[in-house]
Amino acid sequence: MNRLQNLFHTKKTNLLSIYYTAGYPELNTTVDIAEALEKAGADFLEIGFPYSDPVADGPTIQHSSETALQNGMTVHVLFEQLKDLRKRVNIPILLMGYVNPILQYGIEKFCKTASEVGVDGIIVPDLPMYEYEALYSKYFLDNNLSNIFLVTPQTSADRIRKIDELSNSFIYLLSSSSITGGSLNVSTNIEDYYKRIKAMELNNPAIIGFGISNNATFTKACEYASGAIVGSAFVKLLAEDNYLEKIPAFVKAIRP
Amino acid sequence: MKYGVNELGYYGDFGGAYIPEMLYPNVEELRQQYLNIINDAGFRAEFDQLLKDYVGRPSPLYHAKRYSEKYGANIFFKREDLNHTGSHKINNAIGQILLAQRLGKKRIIAETGAGQHGVATATVCALMGLECIVYMGEIDMARQAPNVARMKMLGAKVVSATSGSKTLKDATNEAMRDWIANPVDTHYIIGSVVGPYPYPDMVARFQSIISLEAKRQLLEHTGKELPEYVMACVGGGSNAMGMFYHFLDNESVRLVAVEAAGKGVDSGHSAATTFLGREGVLHGSRTILMQTDDGQVVEPYSVSAGLDYPGIGPQHAHLYKINRAQYVSITDDKALQAGLLCSQLEGIIPAIETAHALAQLEKMQFKASDNVIICISGRGDKDLETYIKYFGF
């Protein structure tokens, strides 16, 4: 069992995950931010590695990715920074990024290195399910890494079942079909969607992401799922002066 | 077809559908339905009728006598520049708008580089009464201002893409983001043979009319159906794929694809993808793209907005890798000079994209008996300002 699977085994509700882009706003604070978030009470983290053409991301994360690239962040640099991660941070860590930088690094080597530095799972929004299953799943499984799939309100029940089958920690439920950084709009349709997912009694817990930015949206999401992920709202905080010191208050405001 | 797409959406090592889950339902709907729709007799009849009466097809195959004399072979121009809206882009736009109607879509989005695809899309949306939003890089909007005005006049909303290099690749990113946010009522008319499967195959089929006609027309001109050479410029590669399509299985026909070298392939300002690129994933398909060692997409450069793209369609990547087609590149200077030459020898002002293909003629070694078809993908009206500046007219 990796740290992520262990977490979902022991804690079932109100899980809070935070996303941030490695190398933003400064190149070398990746692990400092992780440490601060753990101390502030976050349950698990998603560290994004930047890509030049992030089609699933809104302006906030696009901007953070651009800055991170300008600062010199690469997959190599990130793994170098994460070498001593597990001396300082204990909560589960996911890496999140687009498929092309992983392919250039080499997907087998990527999984191996990720596992060596203590990463527990990977989210690759543009890695197709077929390619994952047929070509790459062995590298994930051999290295005890969870692959996280996304589900949107438009994902069919059959496909959700298939995703559930291929998952071994949690399923990333998108609050709507949108790019990152929008607002959570819990309309009747969305409630129906969450209820529909809940009624499917999937093997894997669901975590809601996209549009979670404050206590109200976090609490609402936790009514329907095991927890929620905050991304763009946190990346905005990183743009402020003395951002490390502001992390405890930020986390407390989301989940008092 | 030997060089066609397989059932998983691949051409050899290239293709597939590398898309986030948010796009999956849209792309899957297309994948399941596109062949049924475009092979339907009613669809074919309407498509053919519009190509004939609205676009003005068949486009002529013109025997360019002064060019033939100059280059020592029988040079034929496939005149896509004479199409309504001024380029081959309209063929695909007509096909996809008819498809979008049959899928019940109400809203159309598109990306554009030179503005030719944007104009073609705005045109077919006006024709069918559908809402049209075109994404265009901020830099391209400045250098192709007449096309921006044309799109607006046709009732389209033009949205400037201000991220990254502010050109075609970024316009494509923005269009994909729009499609993610509007998954139910919107169809994305991709303008080239790029993007996730089934787009590369679908666009190639709509553009294949170019080579279908050319084969028949060459027979009328020469008594032979097959030329020795077929040539076209390549950005994403839709006019080239349309021009190559019905010649792919005729192995005796040599296919020449001309990329934009910009200021030179080694200058750091180039869009010569097969020279500078490596295998990877761009805009939903596995292909060849210009990128750093870390897998970041490199911002390309070409004087021609339509060729200013860091990748090529996956079928081109396959044809390149297996050597079925030859990929070469031409600099800005050579292209602009070829544009002037074509204007003065044949009375045809070509688009700067097309001028890249024409410039390659200088480098070819023809026999006097060779028949050569070159795709005149678009007319140069939109490029007058660039030509004027360069030559100081």
Side-chain angles (χ1 to χ4, degrees):
Chain A
M1 232 190 257
N2 61 38
R3 290 172 201 84
L4 199 58
Q5 291 162 329
N6 204 34
L7 172 68
F8 284 99
H9 198 67
T10 52
K11 194 169 170 187
K12 310 278 184 198
T13 56
N14 287 319
L15 288 158
L16 173 62
S17 175
I18 306 280
Y19 166 93
Y20 64 99
T21 307
Y24 176 82
E26 295 168 87
L27 181 61
N28 291 314
T29 48
T30 310
V31 180
D32 298 334
I33 295 170
E35 200 172 24
L37 282 167
E38 176 170 31
K39 280 191 184 134
D43 292 298
F44 64 102
L45 306 179
E46 289 161 39
I47 303 180
F49 48 95
Y51 178 51
S52 53
D53 295 73
V55 293
D57 287 302
T60 304
I61 293 177
Q62 281 177 47
H63 171 74
S64 69
S65 302
E66 230 175 285
T67 308
L69 289 172
Q70 281 162 11
N71 288 343
M73 181 51 70
T74 66
V75 172
H76 282 96
V77 169
L78 178 60
F79 280 138
E80 200 56 40
Q81 290 180 350
L82 296 181
K83 259 186 175 164
D84 296 326
L85 171 74
R86 288 304 173 197
K87 290 182 186 154
R88 292 171 63 189
V89 182
N90 295 311
I91 54 176
I93 303 270
L94 294 149
L95 296 184
M96 182 167 189
Y98 292 81
V99 71
N100 196 50
I102 299 179
L103 291 175
Q104 300 312 315
Y105 190 87
I107 200 152
E108 186 175 2
K109 189 173 138 203
F110 186 93
C111 290
K112 194 166 169 284
T113 315
S115 174
E116 279 166 10
V117 299
V119 166
D120 304 288
I122 304 180
I123 308 177
V124 192
D126 57 344
L127 176 63
M129 196 200 288
Y130 166 77
E131 276 74 5
Y132 170 72
E133 194 182 5
L135 305 171
Y136 304 134
S137 59
K138 58 177 179 289
Y139 306 130
F140 284 70
L141 299 173
D142 286 353
N143 289 293
N144 201 19
L145 292 169
S146 297
N147 183 31
I148 313 300
F149 291 93
L150 310 183
V151 162
T152 82
Q154 277 76 38
T155 309
S156 69
D158 284 352
R159 191 165 165 86
I160 295 171
R161 289 276 176 222
K162 178 82 188 164
I163 284 170
D164 192 35
E165 229 175 81
L166 290 173
S167 300
N168 62 17
S169 58
F170 73 95
I171 291 171
Y172 195 136
L173 219 56
L174 264 57
S175 57
S176 65
S177 183
S178 72
I179 53 178
T180 56
S183 53
L184 182 70
N185 183 4
V186 186
S187 63
T188 327
N189 283 344
I190 292 293
E191 287 213 31
D192 288 349
Y193 154 64
Y194 290 148
K195 283 179 187 159
R196 176 163 64 86
I197 302 282
K198 217 168 177 173
M200 289 181 78
E201 297 183 347
L202 301 173
N203 297 321
N204 292 276
I207 299 286
I208 294 177
F210 286 30
I212 312 298
S213 59
N214 52 30
N215 176 252
T217 45
F218 177 78
T219 308
K220 192 80 201 167
C222 289
E223 283 175 28
Y224 301 101
S226 303
I229 300 160
V230 178
S232 297
F234 182 71
V235 172
K236 278 180 192 155
L237 176 84
L238 296 180
E240 296 177 14
D241 292 336
N242 305 317
Y243 56 87
L244 284 173
E245 291 158 30
K246 292 177 181 167
I247 287 175
F250 178 89
V251 172
K252 214 173 171 58
I254 302 265
R255 190 186 58 187
Chain B
M1 274 182 80
K2 186 175 167 193
Y3 300 101
V5 74
N6 72 18
E7 67 281 6
L8 293 170
Y10 279 86
Y11 307 86
D13 297 335
F14 303 104
Y18 290 76
I19 47 169
E21 184 64 29
M22 298 81 102
L23 287 178
Y24 181 83
N26 287 335
V27 172
E28 179 61 12
E29 179 185 32
L30 265 185
R31 189 189 69 80
Q32 286 182 8
Q33 302 208 39
Y34 85 109
L35 285 179
N36 289 338
I37 291 175
I38 68 182
N39 290 327
D40 171 70
F43 180 94
R44 299 284 350 158
E46 199 177 349
F47 184 55
D48 292 346
Q49 191 77 41
L50 282 170
L51 287 184
K52 178 170 172 280
D53 297 339
Y54 189 71
V55 176
R57 302 203 72 91
S59 69
L61 186 73
Y62 162 67
H63 184 205
K65 294 195 183 60
R66 297 188 71 193
Y67 255 61
S68 298
E69 209 169 287
K70 180 170 170 57
Y71 292 112
N74 295 311
I75 313 271
F76 292 90
F77 287 179
K78 182 58 176 162
R79 297 292 307 277
E80 294 300 302
D81 60 314
L82 292 178
N83 292 342
H84 180 44
T85 73
S87 83
H88 70 289
K89 293 290 187 190
I90 192 78
N91 304 327
N92 169 51
I94 296 267
Q96 286 204 48
I97 201 80
L98 294 176
L99 184 104
Q101 280 185 322
R102 281 157 177 80
L103 292 171
K105 305 291 179 179
K106 304 285 178 234
R107 184 174 172 274
I108 299 297
I109 56 172
E111 86 296 337
T112 197
Q116 293 302 94
H117 174 57
V119 167
T121 303
T123 299
V124 297
C125 287
L127 181 67
M128 301 300 175
L130 292 176
E131 186 187 355
C132 180
I133 296 106
V134 179
Y135 290 91
M136 188 167 185
E138 201 176 32
I139 289 177
D140 292 339
M141 284 179 75
R143 62 179 164 176
Q144 305 285 342
N147 272 344
V148 176
R150 286 167 83 195
M151 286 184 269
K152 287 182 179 166
M153 191 161 174
L154 291 160
K157 187 175 157 202
V158 184
V159 180
S160 88
T162 55
S163 59
S165 58
K166 305 177 177 62
T167 60
L168 180 55
K169 118 182 140 69
D170 311 285
T172 307
N173 291 342
E174 288 306 327
M176 286 187 156
R177 289 181 185 122
D178 181 308
W179 208 21
I180 285 172
N182 297 283
V184 181
D185 67 339
T186 298
H187 176 68
Y188 177 16
I189 301 190
I190 294 184
S192 193
V193 286
V194 301
Y197 177 68
Y199 276 102
D201 184 53
M202 182 168 74
V203 177
R205 283 168 189 263
F206 289 142
Q207 292 294 1
S208 68
I209 185 75
I210 300 173
S211 46
L212 187 74
E213 289 174 1
K215 247 184 175 173
R216 196 186 65 228
Q217 291 166 322
L218 189 72
L219 186 67
E220 286 165 13
H221 275 284
T222 67
K224 287 191 218 161
E225 206 179 36
L226 299 181
E228 274 66 35
Y229 292 91
V230 171
M231 302 171 66
C233 64
V234 176
S238 69
N239 93 83
M241 201 44 69
M243 188 73 254
F244 293 172
Y245 198 89
H246 289 285
F247 295 112
L248 284 172
D249 288 342
N250 303 119
E251 308 274 351
S252 70
V253 179
R254 278 168 278 188
L255 309 173
V256 181
V258 185
E259 299 179 340
K263 294 177 179 167
V265 286
D266 299 320
S267 67
H269 303 277
S270 180
T273 303
T274 57
F275 285 81
L276 299 169
R278 291 196 320 278
E279 293 179 19
V281 169
L282 178 66
H283 292 143
S285 67
R286 200 182 244 273
T287 186
I288 295 172
L289 65 137
M290 292 165 54
Q291 55 182 316
T292 64
D293 291 344
D294 188 45
Q296 308 301 334
V297 182
V298 166
E299 301 185 352
Y301 164 82
S302 166
V303 66
S304 142
L307 304 184
D308 199 352
Y309 185 69
I312 46 172
Q315 193 170 11
H316 281 294
H318 179 54
L319 296 177
Y320 168 75
K321 193 169 180 180
I322 61 169
N323 283 316
R324 173 63 191 96
Q326 186 191 358
Y327 288 75
V328 296
S329 69
I330 287 292
T331 61
D332 289 357
D333 287 335
K334 297 277 185 219
L336 290 160
Q337 283 153 15
L340 183 65
L341 184 75
C342 185
S343 306
Q344 299 188 350
L345 275 189
E346 296 290 351
I348 295 168
I349 301 177
I352 298 176
E353 289 78 13
T354 308
H356 284 73
L358 290 165
Q360 178 62 22
L361 288 169
E362 296 278 347
K363 299 185 178 178
M364 303 295 289
Q365 305 272 321
F366 295 127
K367 291 201 299 277
S369 59
D370 285 346
N371 291 319
V372 179
I373 302 178
I374 186 159
C375 188
I376 306 299
S377 55
R379 68 177 83 125
D381 306 25
K382 70 182 175 59
D383 296 315
L384 277 183
E385 205 185 307
T386 310
Y387 280 131
I388 290 167
K389 251 191 222 158
Y390 186 80
F391 293 108
F393 293 128

